[in-house]
Amino acid sequence: KQEVTQIPAALSVPEGENLVLNCSFTDSAIYNLQWFRQDPGKGLTSLLLIQSSQREQTSGRLNASLDKSSGRSTLYIAASQPGDSATYLCAGRGSGTYKYIFGTGTRLKVLA
Amino acid sequence: DTGVSQDPRHKITKRGQNVTFRCDPISEHNRLYWYRQTLGQGPEFLTYFQNEAQLEKSRLLSDRFSAERPKGSFSTLEIQRTEQGDSAMYLCASSLAGGGLTNEQFFGPGTRLTVL
């Protein structure tokens, strides 16, 4: 059974720091991986998608990578801002299924 | 607004009642997902549609839950004989099958269900 672990569970940092959020899958055969942010009481906002033929994606201050040999992904946030405060979730889909498995998230607080 | 929409946003019901939620995906998206999320957890997959066909359903989903997507457009999720354990946020997402970034899932705002 595929399980997803996100480390750390919570993080509080001063503004301007560079951050690394981690996501690991028990089954490393990940076909697609997507990172999301979720603000309290809201739906999910897509940040980055890494497809089967890719190893990383970048958007602005965000960079996500996927190591398919280990089933681990990292989300790098450069020069963090208070507006980055949210819960960050990773979700992966294996081949042969349409089912996405989510981690429990990393709750990030960036202090001004 | 061309994003995913869900209706209602909030639903309070008494145990034993039936409830139905609606999801309108992004217009050209042929893939549609339903998830359930409880406090402090990530979303849990419920079911997947490609066009009007329900291709995958979670084994955790009891037979009180049913979903439809007639004509491959909007989708409905019905819960019969609700229980207090059904209280959660129900999320809908859509995506477009194909290459490039078209597999990217976009989520709606969710329907928060409270069963008293």
Side-chain angles (χ1 to χ4, degrees):
Chain A
K1 177 187 171 185
Q2 176 73 281
E3 292 182 354
V4 185
T5 302
Q6 289 193 244
I7 295 173
L11 187 60
S12 184
V13 299
E15 182 177 7
E17 281 208 0
N18 300 326
L19 309 171
V20 176
L21 309 182
N22 298 288
C23 171
S24 63
F25 295 80
T26 52
D27 183 347
S28 62
I30 300 299
Y31 185 73
N32 283 349
L33 184 138
Q34 197 166 353
W35 281 92
F36 299 87
R37 69 172 279 167
Q38 186 173 32
D39 294 287
K42 306 288 187 181
L44 280 68
T45 300
S46 177
L47 297 174
L48 292 166
L49 168 69
I50 302 176
Q51 303 222 67
S52 57
S53 59
Q54 300 169 329
R55 298 201 186 281
E56 68 176 313
Q57 281 287 333
T58 298
S59 175
R61 295 181 294 108
L62 305 179
N63 173 274
S65 63
L66 173 61
D67 180 347
K68 293 192 174 185
S69 64
S70 65
R72 295 186 178 187
S73 177
T74 59
L75 177 67
Y76 177 81
I77 303 176
S80 58
Q81 303 171 356
D84 295 332
S85 298
T87 295
Y88 289 79
L89 294 152
C90 66
R93 173 165 80 92
S95 58
T97 177
Y98 298 102
K99 180 178 180 178
Y100 279 83
I101 305 294
F102 279 79
T104 54
T106 293
R107 294 186 307 280
L108 172 65
K109 187 169 185 178
V110 181
L111 305 171
Chain B
D1 185 14
T2 57
V4 179
S5 61
Q6 292 186 245
D7 185 69
R9 297 289 305 277
H10 303 273
K11 179 70 177 180
I12 300 174
T13 191
K14 293 182 180 179
R15 188 177 55 183
Q17 298 294 305
N18 299 343
V19 294
T20 300
F21 308 141
R22 177 179 170 124
C23 171
D24 286 273
I26 293 171
S27 59
E28 68 269 23
H29 284 187
N30 52 2
R31 291 182 167 174
L32 189 145
Y33 301 81
W34 284 99
Y35 294 88
R36 176 173 63 189
Q37 186 178 28
T38 53
L39 196 63
Q41 301 297 312
E44 176 188 17
F45 171 84
L46 294 178
T47 192
Y48 163 75
F49 288 87
Q50 183 152 324
N51 300 310
E52 67 275 9
Q54 187 175 23
L55 297 185
E56 194 161 353
K57 185 175 174 181
S58 171
R59 283 173 286 180
L60 299 175
L61 208 61
S62 78
D63 56 9
R64 296 185 299 105
F65 287 71
S66 63
E68 294 183 340
R69 193 183 181 197
K71 302 179 182 178
S73 56
F74 70 92
S75 176
T76 58
L77 177 69
E78 181 183 17
I79 308 174
Q80 296 182 326
R81 304 181 303 281
T82 52
E83 301 172 357
Q84 288 184 324
D86 297 331
S87 295
M89 176 78 88
Y90 290 83
L91 295 163
C92 175
S94 70
S95 68
L96 182 64
L101 292 178
T102 55
N103 286 308
E104 187 175 7
Q105 288 186 86
F106 294 90
F107 277 77
T111 295
R112 181 167 297 284
L113 173 66
T114 302
V115 182
L116 301 177

